[in-house]
Amino acid sequence: MLSTMQDDQLSLAHLLRHGVRMHGDSEVATWTGSGSRKTTFDRIGRRSAQLAHALRELGVTADQRVGTFMWNNAEHLECYLTIPAMGAVLHTLNIRLFPEQLVFVVNDAQDHVVVVDGSLLPLFARQLPEMTTVRHVIVTGGAAGALDAPSGVTVHSYDELLDGRPETFEWPEIEERSAAAMCYTSGTTGDPKGVVYSHRSIWLHSMQVCMTDSMRLTDADKALVIVPMFHAMSWGMPYAAFMVGTSMVLPDRFLQPGPIAEILAEEKPTFAGAVPTIWQGLLQHLDANPQDISHLREVVVGGSAAPPAMMHAFEERYDVPVLHAWGMTETSPLGSVARPPKAAKGEEAWRYRYTQGRFPASVRARLIDDNGDEVPWDGESVGELEVKGPWITGSYYGGADPDKFHDGWLRTGDVGKITPNGYLTLTDRAKDVIKSGGEWISSVDLENAVMAHPAVAEAAVIGVPDEKWDERPLVAVVVREGEQVTAEELRTFLADKVAKWQLPEHWTFVDEVPKTSVGKFDKKRLRAAHAEGKLDIAHF
Ligand code: ADP
């Protein structure tokens, strides 16, 4: 028997209309380096209509891809809303990709138009001649004149293009399963792969982001969206914010700890999201330049494991709870969120909060061992995490890398265990696990243990070849400014925190851990530095 329910389509055109009408006075503040420029959802709605008219005129009439090469700012948000709402496909370009990767993703997605941030124009322009499908470049910030376009490409100024156009637009009816946006993985191994989100997947994901079990966004919130809009859709925060009327603070290109601290002081957001390296940097800055940040009711951390020492520091020294979450570009990205179960108190609650979290109803999970068999959720058995759900990708764009899919499930490449009540602990990424004498050592556990030392700012652990054991851990340590610590002292510090056979015997001190385009530890580069003999290593 069929239901009697209406088959109303979940569409971002409706999301845009809804946000503008219900929450027209919610604010969007873009940081300028000294103060914010402000706009409202209502004004964003009118500008979106103008942008839609302009894009139609440039030939965006169906599901053409429109790329964005931009920081987090009001114009990027206008693109986020307009492009899918008019039935086209938003393609967020990672501004930190290597040049050949950038050319690859633009050509692979066949971008027709690209909106480029004025401040990023030189970076983009160098690669433009190799982008074979791009016909129009729209430049924000009044810098259009600076671009010498190759033949066949027309350059426009964003503001001039919008000026004087009608402030309403007849947003089309959109089939909910059609493509709304695409984002490529950051390509730490091989070419980046395209993930294509649908209107339906973004809608359902936005609802999950707002749920009390997840980020709890409401119209009373002001969210500082640090995680880039070109990385995993900014964790879905912009769409979720439009759904419920959360005001947003967008940091533009000001992502260093100093400017972030200034933004916090001036805008006093109630919520924020960023990868651990951003929070670590901010913590060091705040420790040296104390400031009240208790206006943050909570901050969400994901993208790589949140070090427990950092979670404690924010909560105990700054009165800001840190919410740990796990996800991937392939999972929209919200996969699991670490809110402890109701009965857990004190230390037990903390243990749950260190985990990558519990899966929401729409995300199904299983762990698969080396033989392809499912392992139990007993909190001990380890396997590769596979997930399935309405906002989890079922393939890559163009059918790339089919091995990442297994009977309709996504193979995450993450290795971990799950408790009987559904809390995931990732022990590593499959390629980062250290295989020592037939046993696995978690690089993440070692990193967290070393980073708990007060003199350590950052620590990254890689496996290095070992004749006897196959691989052994090498710890690369960044010492906090003004502090001193030796490898010997750190080994002693670890002695009662990790099993004896896991205690690393190779240590190196570095000025900085190399980072990927999205701010994660770049272990590939660390391994290369080691292989080329560039690291000064103390052995025990
Ligand atoms: P990339 O794969 O290039 O790093 P993504 O941002 O999509 O780009 O990364 C997803 C991966 O990041 C996950 O598969 C996982 O390895 C890691 N990750 C994300 N969140 C966490 C977390 N909370 N703890 C540990 N690892 C995480």
Side-chain angles (χ1 to χ4, degrees):
M1 172 167 112
L2 286 177
S3 82
T4 61
M5 292 298 110
Q6 298 178 6
D7 192 18
D8 200 32
Q9 301 290 293
L10 306 173
S11 136
L12 297 190
H14 179 52
L15 185 84
L16 170 59
R17 273 191 305 260
H18 168 86
V20 169
R21 166 158 286 192
M22 303 291 167
H23 305 287
D25 60 350
S26 290
E27 274 189 358
V28 177
T30 302
W31 193 246
T32 65
S34 56
S36 303
R37 51 188 176 96
K38 299 226 163 116
T39 184
T40 58
F41 281 19
D42 175 63
R43 177 142 175 73
I44 290 220
R46 287 185 277 129
R47 298 260 297 173
S48 294
Q50 294 181 311
L51 178 59
H53 284 290
L55 288 174
R56 278 275 189 268
E57 201 173 286
L58 302 185
V60 179
T61 50
D63 64 354
Q64 281 92 355
R65 267 66 76 204
V66 179
T68 54
F69 194 77
M70 304 172 89
W71 301 109
N72 289 14
N73 52 35
E75 291 75 17
H76 205 170
L77 183 61
E78 286 161 7
C79 293
Y80 248 60
L81 294 160
T82 307
I83 297 163
M86 65 189 287
V89 181
L90 165 75
H91 175 194
T92 55
L93 295 164
N94 181 340
I95 61 168
R96 301 203 179 94
L97 282 184
F98 292 120
E100 60 276 13
Q101 289 182 326
L102 176 65
V103 170
F104 170 83
V105 301
V106 170
N107 291 343
D108 192 52
Q110 300 182 295
D111 293 343
H112 179 72
V113 178
V114 183
V115 185
V116 180
D117 223 294
S119 66
L120 295 167
L121 196 55
L123 194 62
F124 182 79
R126 256 175 263 145
Q127 269 49 253
L128 181 56
E130 293 167 66
M131 298 175 179
T132 51
T133 59
V134 175
R135 294 290 163 263
H136 299 275
V137 175
I138 306 176
V139 185
T140 66
L147 180 61
D148 233 351
S151 76
V153 178
T154 314
V155 183
H156 312 263
S157 145
Y158 186 88
D159 288 331
E160 284 172 21
L161 198 62
L162 268 60
D163 261 0
R165 293 190 188 267
E167 293 187 348
T168 56
F169 186 81
E170 206 162 310
W171 304 104
E173 290 296 321
I174 300 171
E175 206 277 307
E176 65 179 17
R177 286 183 164 75
S178 55
M182 63 194 300
C183 181
Y184 281 71
T185 59
S186 46
T188 22
T189 50
D191 277 330
K193 288 165 293 213
V195 173
V196 184
Y197 310 104
S198 66
H199 287 259
R200 173 185 155 87
S201 73
I202 292 177
W203 186 284
L204 296 173
H205 180 263
S206 302
M207 292 179 71
Q208 182 64 49
V209 166
C210 298
M211 276 178 77
T212 34
D213 258 359
S214 298
M215 299 188 203
R216 300 192 171 160
L217 294 181
T218 73
D219 72 344
D221 276 312
K222 195 193 233 192
L224 171 59
V225 183
I226 303 177
V227 55
M229 290 164 80
F230 57 75
H231 178 216
M233 306 308 285
S234 216
W235 298 350
M237 285 187 275
Y239 293 124
F242 236 75
M243 187 170 260
V244 295
T246 302
S247 287
M248 278 176 267
V249 183
L250 304 174
D252 203 87
R253 58 184 186 279
F254 305 98
L255 298 169
Q256 298 306 313
I260 296 283
E262 267 179 71
I263 298 174
L264 291 173
E266 180 131 342
E267 288 295 336
K268 301 207 170 5
T270 60
F271 186 82
V275 293
T277 47
I278 296 265
W279 296 118
Q280 288 281 30
L282 181 67
L283 190 60
Q284 278 200 64
H285 176 91
L286 292 176
D287 286 349
N289 312 274
Q291 161 182 334
D292 175 26
I293 56 163
S294 60
H295 46 83
L296 287 164
R297 66 162 171 82
E298 188 167 53
V299 298
V300 61
V301 182
S304 32
M310 183 192 88
M311 297 175 73
H312 281 279
F314 271 103
E315 184 138 340
E316 284 147 24
R317 299 216 286 275
Y318 296 98
D319 200 17
V320 174
V322 174
L323 177 65
H324 190 198
W326 166 85
M328 319 168 66
T329 305
E330 291 87 334
T331 65
S332 289
L334 200 147
S336 59
V337 181
R339 291 202 185 277
K342 52 189 170 307
K345 297 280 175 301
E347 272 308 304
E348 195 196 358
W350 269 110
R351 279 196 299 278
Y352 278 109
R353 292 179 54 192
Y354 301 152
T355 72
Q356 272 68 22
R358 186 154 59 165
F359 303 98
S362 303
V363 178
R364 286 194 267 165
R366 66 185 187 190
L367 295 172
I368 303 291
D369 69 12
D370 283 347
N371 305 320
D373 297 326
E374 220 176 310
V375 306
W377 291 14
D378 56 11
E380 283 171 16
S381 308
V382 170
E384 179 179 359
L385 174 68
E386 296 192 348
V387 288
K388 192 178 172 67
W391 57 78
I392 313 272
T393 199
S395 64
Y396 288 116
Y397 180 60
D401 214 352
D403 292 349
K404 289 282 287 182
F405 304 91
H406 176 198
D407 298 340
W409 293 67
L410 169 75
R411 298 176 55 185
T412 64
D414 287 328
V415 173
K417 51 199 179 185
I418 302 178
T419 58
N421 56 348
Y423 284 81
L424 166 74
T425 295
L426 288 187
T427 47
D428 238 318
R429 291 189 110 169
K431 58 181 188 292
D432 292 338
V433 162
I434 299 158
K435 300 190 174 96
S436 171
E439 296 286 344
W440 288 8
I441 300 179
S442 157
S443 65
V444 176
D445 284 353
L446 286 181
E447 284 161 7
N448 284 342
V450 179
M451 282 193 275
H453 191 285
V456 174
E458 276 180 347
V461 176
I462 55 168
V464 295
D466 184 279
E467 268 182 25
K468 184 163 174 208
W469 301 108
D470 209 15
E471 273 186 343
R472 290 294 299 161
L474 161 70
V475 191
V477 180
V478 181
V479 178
R480 248 173 213 278
E481 240 180 83
E483 300 277 350
Q484 274 187 336
V485 69
T486 64
E488 211 146 17
E489 284 163 349
L490 289 175
R491 249 174 80 90
T492 310
F493 176 74
L494 285 197
D496 60 352
K497 297 181 179 63
V498 305
K500 200 161 169 237
W501 63 274
Q502 300 194 350
L503 210 56
E505 52 276 83
H506 311 298
W507 294 77
T508 183
F509 288 88
V510 291
D511 293 338
E512 199 189 348
V513 176
K515 310 268 167 29
T516 69
S517 63
V518 292
K520 305 185 190 189
F521 290 166
D522 191 343
K523 298 195 181 177
K524 209 167 61 172
R525 267 159 67 200
L526 204 55
R527 279 187 203 104
H530 174 262
E532 290 160 18
K534 287 189 182 147
L535 301 176
D536 194 7
I537 300 177
H539 302 279
F540 289 87

